[in-house]
């Protein structure tokens, strides 16, 4: 029997007026907010979310209730909630489904979270390219204000919460929480060193919770049905459901929702996404957005949950499943990803700023059949600097490239064997590891990084 979805966040998407306040309230919308405000203390709300086991759905997978509990109770500073709606990870499009078709579910979750942490301002930072979705979301926010569900004296209580939509400038780096906060403050979206973490010193140097759209959309369900109800789904460590964005070589790309750990990655592709067109074979699957390591075909019969995917050699990430069939050129795929991350590097950190360019030059040379046998060692040498930048953008390029070289080395080697470089003319030149070398200006091969020599 084919495996099927378990819909709780997507349950009402597609119904008439699902995106309107009237449609949302007709099915019990904002009753969880009423329950939180009149029947629960802020600590009660946090404990219920902890009981549910819901984890951050933006990629890190950190328990949401635990994060909320990090906000210092004795701090005299204002507190803030920031919803990360940037969703700039290639292969990911699930948050936009909530914002476009069920925006009040997100708004209610934002206000409940704000109440729990003692915040009176909830910012929703939305991806700059989501123009019409931002309009949908702003319309829903306006409806909430008009109905007394946001702003002053919510639902006749003494609790106030302003909900503010902020449109980003279209930078991948602003999907990282500290880069997002810097951008929200009106500055260039440079990530920040940690510690201090946002819970201690976040927006405007005040205690801040940053959560993803999908995470906050779970909150009304947790409060209305109980943390134990949510925790009854999934596995012991990966509780609840997960939204998936499935793209690439499948017959039915789209956004799906599954109970964590109850379907294998292969079942998701075959039963939900309709399999690969033309009966072609799968070459590999990226399970969590473009920055995650690819899994070869023999790793697809694993339960789709945080722990199982990690044990197989990748990460669940944002749940952006990208399916590559046997026609895909892995070297070309690696070059495309390298171009993207090189373009999106903010340039703040030397390892990322320079490393992405070195990677791009070398990968371009290989693809254009100007590669040298030592190029793969050069790339592997760059891997040693993986965690030397402030944020994880540099790692976001290294992880997929390392996996490509691990699982498909023969494809890179085949390109290098077809190289048009005059290797005989340069075979006596020094070819040294970048980790123990200095650049020598003016000795670069065409389209490749400069030549290297030993440091004195």
């Amino acid at each position: 029997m084919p495996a099927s979805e378990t819909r709780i966040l997507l349950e009402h998407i597609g119904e008439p007026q699902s995106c309107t306040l009237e449609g949302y309230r007709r099915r019990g919308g904002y009753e969880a907010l009423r329950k939180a405000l009149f029947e629960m203390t802020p600590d009660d709300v946090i404990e219920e979310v902890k009981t549910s086991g819901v984890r951050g759905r933006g990629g890190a997978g950190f328990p949401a209730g635990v994060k909320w509990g990090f906000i210092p109770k004795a701090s005299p500073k204002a507190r803030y909630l920031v919803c990360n709606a940037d969703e700039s990870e290639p292969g990911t499009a699930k948050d936009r489904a909530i914002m476009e078709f069920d925006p009040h579910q997100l708004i209610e979750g934002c206000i409940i979270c704000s109440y729990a942490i003692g915040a009176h301002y909830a910012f929703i930072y939305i991806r700059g390219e989501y123009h019409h979705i931002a309009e949908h979301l702003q319309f829903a926010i306006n409806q909430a204000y008009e109905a007394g569900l946001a702003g002053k004296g919510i639902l006749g209580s003494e609790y106030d919460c302003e909900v503010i939509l902020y449109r980003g400038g279209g930078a991948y780096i602003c999907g990282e929480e500290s880069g997002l906060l810097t951008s929200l403050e009106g500055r260039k979206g440079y990530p920040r060193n940690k510690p201090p973490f946002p819970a201690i010193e976040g927006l405007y140097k005040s205690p801040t919770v940053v959560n993803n759209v999908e995470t906050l959309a779970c909150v009304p369900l947790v409060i209305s049905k109980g943390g134990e109800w949510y925790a009854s789904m999934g596995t012991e460590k990966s509780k609840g459901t997960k939204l998936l964005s499935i793209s690439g070589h499948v017959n039915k790309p789209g956004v799906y929702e599954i109970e964590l750990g109850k379907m294998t990655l292969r079942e998701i592709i075959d039963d939900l996404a309709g399999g690969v067109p033309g009966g072609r074979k799968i070459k590999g699957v990226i399970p969590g957005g473009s920055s995650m390591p690819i899994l070869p075909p023999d790793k697809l019969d694993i339960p789709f949950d945080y722990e199982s995917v990690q044990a197989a050699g990748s990460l669940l990430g944002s749940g952006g499943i990208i399916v590559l069939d046997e026609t895909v050129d892995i070297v070309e795929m690696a070059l495309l990803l390298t171009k993207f991350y090189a373009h999106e590097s903010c340039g703040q950190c030397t390892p990322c700023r320079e490393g992405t360019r070195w990677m791009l030059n070398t990968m371009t040379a290989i693809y254009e059949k100007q590669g040298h046998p030592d190029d793969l060692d050069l790339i592997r040498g760059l891997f040693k600097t993986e965690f030397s930048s402030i944020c994880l953008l540099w790692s976001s390029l290294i992880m997929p490239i390392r996996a490509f070289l691990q699982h498909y080395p023969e494809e890179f080697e085949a390109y290098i064997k077809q190289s048009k470089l005059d290797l005989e003319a340069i075979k006596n030149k020094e070819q040294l590891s970048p980790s123990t070398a200095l650049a020598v200006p003016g000795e670069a091969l065409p389209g490749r990084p400069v030549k290297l020599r030993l440091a004195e």
Side-chain angles (χ1 to χ4, degrees), residues 25-298:
R25 298 196 80 171
R26 189 185 300 134
R27 62 177 196 260
Y30 289 103
E31 289 306 307
L33 176 59
R34 184 183 298 276
K35 178 181 178 181
L37 293 179
F38 294 102
E39 300 177 26
M40 304 174 74
T41 66
D43 286 344
D44 290 338
V45 175
I46 292 175
E47 287 304 313
E48 201 68 51
V49 174
K50 286 182 179 179
T51 299
S52 73
V54 62
R55 295 165 64 167
R57 300 304 198 213
F62 192 81
V66 175
K67 178 184 277 194
W68 298 6
F70 288 157
I71 296 292
K73 298 183 182 298
S75 175
K77 296 181 178 180
R79 304 168 189 184
Y80 299 102
L81 167 69
V82 176
C83 172
N84 186 344
D86 192 66
E87 193 166 53
S88 51
E89 179 76 4
T92 310
K94 42 90 178 179
D95 289 345
R96 64 177 294 171
I98 294 173
M99 292 187 284
E100 185 172 7
F101 299 111
D102 207 350
H104 286 282
Q105 188 171 209
L106 171 61
I107 296 167
E108 184 178 15
C110 287
I111 299 173
I112 293 173
C113 176
S114 298
Y115 169 72
I117 65 173
H120 296 283
Y121 288 89
F123 293 90
I124 302 175
Y125 185 103
I126 191 169
R127 182 180 180 184
E129 293 89 345
Y130 280 179
H131 301 293
H132 77 280
I133 297 172
E135 293 174 356
H136 275 277
L137 191 52
Q138 187 61 62
F139 181 78
I141 291 171
N142 295 343
Q143 284 185 317
Y145 269 94
E146 292 169 3
L149 299 164
K152 304 293 184 182
I154 295 174
L155 287 171
S157 71
E158 297 181 354
Y159 178 65
D160 305 333
C161 185
E162 304 296 334
V163 181
I164 301 162
L165 183 65
Y166 185 94
R167 297 180 66 172
Y172 176 86
I173 198 66
C174 289
E176 192 275 336
E177 63 178 8
S178 65
L180 185 156
L181 294 175
T182 307
S183 175
L184 187 53
E185 292 170 348
R187 295 179 286 134
K188 187 173 182 178
Y190 278 161
R192 306 170 182 175
N193 279 310
K194 301 173 187 176
F197 291 92
I200 305 300
E201 190 174 296
L203 187 65
Y204 308 127
K205 295 188 176 182
S206 297
T208 305
V209 163
V210 183
N211 272 143
N212 172 262
V213 169
E214 183 183 350
T215 310
L216 291 167
C218 292
V219 172
L221 295 169
V222 169
I223 298 304
S224 62
K225 299 187 178 184
E228 292 185 359
W229 165 81
Y230 189 89
S232 69
M233 296 178 287
T235 69
E236 181 180 355
K237 294 182 178 180
S238 296
K239 299 185 183 300
T241 66
K242 180 76 186 77
L243 298 184
L244 309 176
S245 311
I246 308 179
S247 62
H249 295 123
V250 291
N251 285 304
K252 297 190 295 182
V255 177
Y256 299 86
E257 185 174 9
I258 66 161
E259 187 176 349
L260 283 165
K262 304 304 180 183
M263 294 180 67
T264 67
L265 188 50
R266 193 181 302 277
E267 287 173 333
I268 290 169
I269 296 167
D270 291 341
D271 297 346
L272 298 187
V276 178
R280 294 189 294 272
K281 296 179 180 179
I282 293 176
K283 190 168 195 173
V285 177
I286 301 172
S290 66
S291 61
M292 299 295 105
I294 193 170
L295 293 176
D298 62 349

Side-chain angles (χ1 to χ4, degrees), residues 384-405:
K384 298 174 184 178
T385 66
E386 179 175 5
F387 298 110
S388 56
S389 297
I390 291 174
C391 81
L392 292 177
L393 187 141
W394 180 218
S395 301
S396 296
L397 173 58
I398 287 177
M399 285 193 292
I401 299 301
R402 180 194 288 122
F404 287 148
L405 286 173

